[in-house]
Structures are given as structure tokens and as C-alpha cells.
Amino acid sequence: QMSRVIVLVDMDCFYAQVEQRDKPSLWGKPVGVLQYSANGQSGLIAVSYEARPFGVKRGMTANQCKELCPDIEICLVPQGEYADKADIQKYRDASAEVFAVLGSIDSRIILEKASVDEAFLDCTAYVESRVTKVREETIQRLLDPACLPTSFIVDGKEDEKDEDETEDEEETVDEEARLKRKNERIEMIRKRKIEEFIEKCRFDDEFLKIALAAEFAERLREKVREKTQFYCSAGVGNNKTMAKLVCAAHKPRKQSFIPPGSEVDVLRNTKVSSVRGLGGKLGRSLTERLGINTMGELYRTPSSVLTATFPDNAPWLMQIARGEDYDKVDSRVLQRNLGVGKNFPGTMAIYTNMNAKFWLNGLTKELRKRMADDKIKHRRLAQKVVVHVTTDVSTSKSVKVGATEEKEGRLFEKLWPVMQSMRKGPGEGWKPPIFNISLSAGRFLEGLPSKENSIIGWVERRTKQLEEMEGKDAVEKLNRDAAAEEKRRLEREEMGEEEGEGEEMEGIFMVDNLDDDDDDDCLIVE
Ligand code: DCP
Ligand code: MG
């Protein structure tokens, strides 16, 4: 197995930064981004780092966080042109700016968009081209304190007491002086560990490759900052799982990397749920069925036990416990599925069929808008929609869709009976109640049928003309206009079909990367 070098870039409190850039007086202040909803359900979806020491967390209401942090500035997610959605377009646009920078650095780097604010970069080819036989010059460059100014080594030994620490812990009256001393100590340890790491690079290519990737990540993050004003953090490791895990170790505006061979040490005290791929069902059942809470415990679990309990996942679990992950960085630019979803936490839970129908209808409309947008942009049609309902358990069912649903707005009519079939309660009720509904369109058929006439043909002709006359920007604008036009068409269609609903439906969130993991328990209905 060839060793790889993977970088994970994650924007810091991303939506909050977008608001701070929009309104620069907010930089350096506690900021929360609130997704508002007319039905009284609203919650923070992003929290600036200035607000975090007060205990302000994602999911809190405006009142809850004002109580903890009276000076917090609350920004509202804009309302969309349709009453039933929050408009997250400005965050998507900001995301596109970031990805434009990430994708423009070096053609040898493979870039994968992992979420609206996260990207994996496979830097193997790039760093290998920079590994030289005569490396004194490289080592000297890396040892310069300006080369890795925001880098931290994560080696799993963070908990070990520093020898100098005890004497510093004597009571000091001056809180400020104490804090200063503490920060100086942290900085001293940081530098010392980096130096030790770089010294190893003289003799070990694996160390050198990681250091070169860290150097690259420092410059990349500076570039993102310079071009977009946004700060981000990064993690460097030999695979996606480790890169993502260590990225979270030092945030914001910092980056972390692992000495090759320290993976198991780093994982030892890591909670299972913090590891990529174990945040959901599988991670939970490790705890529920085998009492495994940390990766160290997973590592020590006999393979026979894992195989007996999780026959399908045991090999992967054992690899991950060793810090091994062979998942490729995939440069696909297209999302594999389009999703919309909504949580109904606590008292918001849905108990009645009428309510369920109302929300499924709203989500379906939203999904159709996204599908229309995607159809224009990517010239493809979804062939499958997964309905995902969470009550006390999560259930998914997938439905084949085709031109009929897409064209005549019959999607809801198809999805509603499927959702009904997931209902367990007696009569018209949902018992246990619904806490989440998500829809995900996927299994795309590339290309569009030839009779797909109206707007597509027109877009294609105009694209040609514009490209010749006015260049790429004009074409992009045209695509946006066309997508908007397609959305309006859908809306007109739906207006004709249904009497307008009075109620508003905000707070639907986008599920950009709804996992296809649950495909196992999907049931093809048609
Ligand atoms: N987001 C959302 N709903 C969620 C989670 C996230 O709308 N349940 C949005 C808001 C976030 C953005 O996605 O700003 C990125 O999500 P992250 O999990 O990366 O969180 P942040 O970037 O806000 O903070 P961090 O600095 O911890 O990465
Ligand atoms: Mg982030």
C-alpha cells in the first residue's frame, strides 16, 4: 500500500464568518446565525468563536443564547423568495468562492468537496514531487518559525504533564500574568514539538511528506484568507479519517498534523462518535451492543467479537481502530444526491397525519426546486427519491421517479403513500411522533431526453452565443436565470394544482451530503 498525504480543510464557524464579512463591524464579536421559523421553532446554526466561551451552542434559541451572552449579535438566515424556505444561497455562494481558491492551487492536487465548508485534498503527488534527495535546504525552510506558524502536532501524548508545568502552577495573584505565562508555555511546547518533527524529516520520507503538506496547508489557508477574507482550519494525515479527526484538535485559525505511526495513540481516547463514519447508527450500536465508547476500546475488542456482532462492518471497524482508512479522495464535482430535510425536536414533534402531510408537501416542493436547478446546471435527472423519517427509529424507503413526477408535479402524490407506509400508530396519528423528515433525490441519469425541449434547448443555444460574445461569466449568469425560470415554471404549475396554503414553512435545511449509507434498509416500492 502506497502511503498517501491527505489534508482536510474546514472553515471556522462558516455561516458566522459569512455574516461577519457582510457586516465587518461584527468581526471579533460574538455572533450567532439563527435560522428563524414562523412556527416558533428557531435555532442557531452557527456560532462565532467569540461566543463559544459563554457556552453558546448550535441549536439554541435566541433567548437561550442572549441569556448566556447578552452582547451576542444575532444574524438571521435570509428568507427565500418562496415563503417555505430559508435562503442559504449566500452561504453556498461563499462556499463556491472558497472552493474556487482550493481548486486553483496546483493541478496535481485532488479536491473533494465534503460539505458546504469542508474539503479533502489528496496532496500525495504534489508533496512527492517536492521530496528531494538533498534536503538540507528544505529542512532549514521548514525550521523557520514563519513556515508553520499555526501548526500543532497531535500525537496522543497531549495529556502527559509537562515538567515545567508544576512550578508555573503556583498561585499567582495576577490572573492576566498567569494566562500570559500559560500561553507562552503552550507556544513553547508547540515549537519544540514541531522542531522535533522536522528533525525526523531528515531521515524519514513519511515525516517529510507530512511536513511538506502542512507547509502547503499553511500557504493554502493564507490564500483562502487573502482571496475571501475567511479563516479556516486544517488537518493533515495519511488518510481522510485521521486528517478530519486532527483538524478538530486545534481550531479556529490553526492546523494540526500527526506524526506517522502515532495514529493508534491519537485514537486511544477519542470518542467513537467523533470519528468519520461512526457519528451515526454504527457508532451508536458499538456503544449499545458492545459497550464500546472510545476508539481505544474498539482497538482492544477481539476481532471474533466484532465479527460476530457486526459481520459486515467488522473488517472496516478493525482498520479504522488502527487508524487505517482506504477511502479515496474523490474529485467528483457533482453531488451524488440532492437533499432537503427538517428536524422537529422536542415539542415540535409531529403527531398527526395532517401535519406530516403538510411538511412532506413543503419539503417535496423544496426538493423539486433543487432538482429543477440541478437539471439545468448538470443536465441530469434523478431516478430515485429516498423518504427518510425518524421517529423512535429511522426508516428510509426509496421510490423510483421518472419524467411523470418531474414534469407534472406528481412527486408528492408518489411520496405521500410511501410515508404513510412507515406509520406505525393507530388511526390517523403518528405514534411515536416524527422528529425528522428528509428527502433525497439521487441515482442520476446523465443527460436529458431529447424531447426535453423548452428551456433546455434555449439555454443551450444561448450558451453558445454568449460564450462566443461575452465569455464564461455571462454563461454562468444565464444558467442562474434559467434555473430561476425553471423554478418559476414549477411554482406556476403547483399554484394551478393546489389552493395556496396560508402557513409558512421556514427552517427547512439543506442536506447537501445525505449519506447513502441507509440504502441497505431501503425498500424499492416501485
Ligand atoms: N450548518 C447547518 N446546520 C447544521 C450544521 C451546520 O446549517 N446542523 C451550517 C452552518 C455552519 C456550516 O454549515 O456554519 C458548517 O458546519 P460546521 O459543522 O463546519 O460548523 P462551523 O463551520 O459553523 O463551525 P466549526 O468552526 O466548528 O467548523
Ligand atoms: Mg466548519
Side-chain angles (χ1 to χ4, degrees):
Q1 286 285 347
M2 194 197 68
S3 82
R4 299 176 297 158
V5 186
I6 312 294
V7 173
L8 181 271
V9 173
D10 181 3
M11 306 308 293
D12 299 323
C13 55
F14 187 47
Y15 287 15
Q17 283 202 83
V18 173
E19 297 298 337
Q20 286 171 319
R21 187 178 70 167
D22 272 3
K23 199 174 160 195
S25 64
L26 296 182
W27 285 115
K29 300 227 173 89
V31 173
V33 179
L34 189 78
Q35 192 150 296
Y36 170 78
S37 172
N39 63 14
Q41 182 205 356
S42 62
L44 290 190
I45 54 172
V47 179
S48 79
Y49 279 81
E50 292 79 3
R52 296 190 191 193
F54 295 88
V56 178
K57 292 205 166 66
R58 177 176 292 156
M60 285 182 176
T61 63
N63 285 338
Q64 284 172 321
C65 64
K66 281 260 186 225
E67 213 158 278
L68 294 167
C69 178
D71 292 335
I72 194 167
E73 300 263 2
I74 303 283
C75 304
L76 294 177
V77 174
Q79 293 300 300
E81 62 181 299
Y82 303 101
D84 62 354
K85 74 175 267 219
D87 186 2
I88 65 162
Q89 194 56 45
K90 78 166 170 183
Y91 310 111
R92 286 225 186 92
D93 291 345
S95 166
E97 283 180 53
V98 172
F99 278 89
V101 180
L102 299 181
S104 68
I105 304 295
D106 190 290
S107 61
R108 284 163 293 190
I109 286 164
I110 305 167
L111 173 69
E112 174 182 327
K113 178 173 174 171
S115 80
V116 70
D117 83 327
E118 258 178 297
F120 286 107
L121 296 92
D122 187 329
C123 302
T124 312
Y126 172 77
V127 294
E128 280 177 352
S129 75
R130 307 205 54 179
V131 174
T132 48
K133 281 260 168 338
V134 188
R135 60 185 53 163
E136 194 46 39
E137 204 181 312
T138 309
I139 299 290
Q140 286 313 317
R141 188 181 75 234
L142 291 167
L143 280 172
D144 182 336
C147 183
L148 299 169
T150 63
S151 289
F152 288 77
I153 309 275
V154 174
D155 56 9
K157 301 193 180 77
E158 287 73 17
D159 292 338
E160 287 175 15
K161 280 269 177 201
D162 194 73
E163 311 98 57
D164 320 330
E165 206 165 345
T166 33
E167 73 182 61
D168 266 16
E169 265 172 11
E170 311 163 356
E171 81 242 48
T172 326
V173 248
D174 191 347
E175 177 67 12
E176 213 171 289
R178 202 186 61 82
L179 208 71
K180 189 166 165 254
R181 199 115 53 91
K182 188 178 162 212
N183 285 334
E184 281 169 2
R185 194 172 58 233
I186 291 171
E187 179 61 7
M188 193 194 72
I189 296 172
R190 184 187 79 81
K191 284 194 171 134
R192 192 187 64 213
K193 284 195 158 190
I194 295 226
E195 271 170 37
E196 284 167 11
F197 191 103
I198 304 300
E199 288 300 332
K200 292 217 177 80
C201 295
R202 288 182 201 275
F203 317 105
D204 191 327
D205 276 3
E206 295 311 310
F207 275 69
L208 181 61
K209 283 195 274 182
I210 295 284
L212 288 169
E215 178 189 29
F216 163 77
E218 290 270 11
R219 302 295 91 78
L220 179 64
R221 289 170 46 242
E222 284 163 7
K223 188 101 174 179
V224 169
R225 162 88 181 123
E226 178 199 325
K227 297 278 183 198
T228 69
Q229 298 183 41
F230 297 136
Y231 293 97
C232 58
S233 299
V236 186
N238 285 132
N239 58 53
K240 287 168 136 182
T241 299
M242 295 312 292
K244 181 163 168 82
L245 184 71
V246 293
C247 176
H250 296 276
K251 248 182 161 270
R253 306 183 186 187
K254 298 180 192 73
Q255 60 177 49
S256 309
F257 53 102
I258 318 173
S262 295
E263 288 79 7
V264 172
D265 291 332
V266 171
L267 284 168
R268 183 164 296 122
N269 296 317
T270 302
K271 275 212 262 37
V272 164
S273 59
S274 315
V275 173
R276 182 169 175 268
L278 291 175
K281 219 159 52 179
L282 182 56
R284 273 196 306 276
S285 44
L286 275 176
T287 309
E288 282 159 16
R289 300 178 62 183
L290 294 176
I292 296 173
N293 290 298
T294 67
M295 293 303 286
E297 287 162 16
L298 179 63
Y299 183 79
R300 292 191 295 273
T301 304
S303 65
S304 56
V305 174
L306 284 179
T307 309
T309 322
F310 301 98
D312 297 337
N313 294 311
W316 181 81
L317 286 169
M318 287 184 268
Q319 275 171 15
I320 285 296
R322 293 194 298 266
E324 293 167 20
D325 168 17
Y326 301 103
D327 191 17
K328 264 180 33 192
V329 175
D330 183 351
S331 66
R332 83 194 123 86
V333 268
L334 296 186
Q335 279 170 251
R336 274 185 302 195
N337 42 50
L338 305 171
V340 294
K342 185 163 173 63
N343 287 323
F344 306 94
T347 56
M348 298 307 303
I350 295 178
Y351 289 88
T352 65
N353 226 3
M354 200 181 79
N355 221 351
K357 191 171 183 177
F358 171 77
W359 285 107
L360 181 72
N361 191 26
L363 285 162
T364 306
K365 283 188 196 171
E366 186 55 40
L367 181 68
R368 291 189 61 218
K369 276 180 245 155
R370 294 204 64 194
M371 288 165 76
D373 204 343
D374 183 79
K375 179 172 94 180
I376 303 277
K377 272 204 198 115
H378 302 132
R379 308 279 194 271
R380 58 179 186 171
L381 291 173
Q383 294 179 280
K384 180 190 80 168
V385 171
V386 179
V387 182
H388 189 101
V389 173
T390 308
T391 57
D392 57 334
V393 291
S394 285
T395 325
S396 311
K397 286 191 179 183
S398 89
V399 187
K400 265 194 202 159
V401 297
T404 328
E405 289 77 21
E406 206 271 329
K407 273 241 148 65
E408 297 164 34
R410 298 269 174 252
L411 188 55
F412 175 72
E413 283 167 34
K414 199 143 191 188
L415 300 184
W416 177 235
V418 175
M419 187 159 162
Q420 281 292 288
S421 71
M422 298 187 214
R423 187 162 58 90
K424 283 186 288 189
E428 292 283 277
W430 278 80
K431 206 175 171 189
I434 302 173
F435 294 107
N436 173 279
I437 307 173
S438 312
L439 301 176
S440 165
R443 206 160 289 164
F444 286 99
L445 191 64
E446 302 294 333
L448 294 172
S450 53
K451 57 180 193 308
E452 189 67 53
N453 43 22
S454 62
I455 195 156
I456 305 275
W458 177 81
V459 168
E460 256 150 23
R461 288 192 300 279
R462 279 295 285 161
T463 303
K464 263 220 171 98
Q465 287 173 3
L466 275 177
E467 229 160 26
E468 282 161 16
M469 285 157 43
E470 297 172 49
K472 285 248 161 17
D473 288 349
V475 172
E476 253 174 45
K477 180 170 181 321
L478 172 78
N479 276 329
R480 276 202 302 275
D481 292 348
E485 179 53 35
E486 176 74 1
K487 281 188 203 168
R488 277 194 287 277
R489 185 184 69 79
L490 281 173
E491 200 190 32
R492 278 196 301 273
E493 223 175 75
E494 301 200 3
M495 295 289 257
E497 279 170 19
E498 305 156 5
E499 61 281 29
E501 306 231 26
E503 282 171 86
E504 294 203 327
M505 194 124 68
E506 298 108 274
I508 292 173
F509 61 84
M510 302 301 161
V511 192
D512 271 339
N513 281 285
L514 200 73
D515 275 343
D516 249 354
D517 290 352
D518 288 337
D519 250 11
D520 300 346
D521 36 42
C522 276
L523 194 142
I524 303 294
V525 182
E526 245 180 300

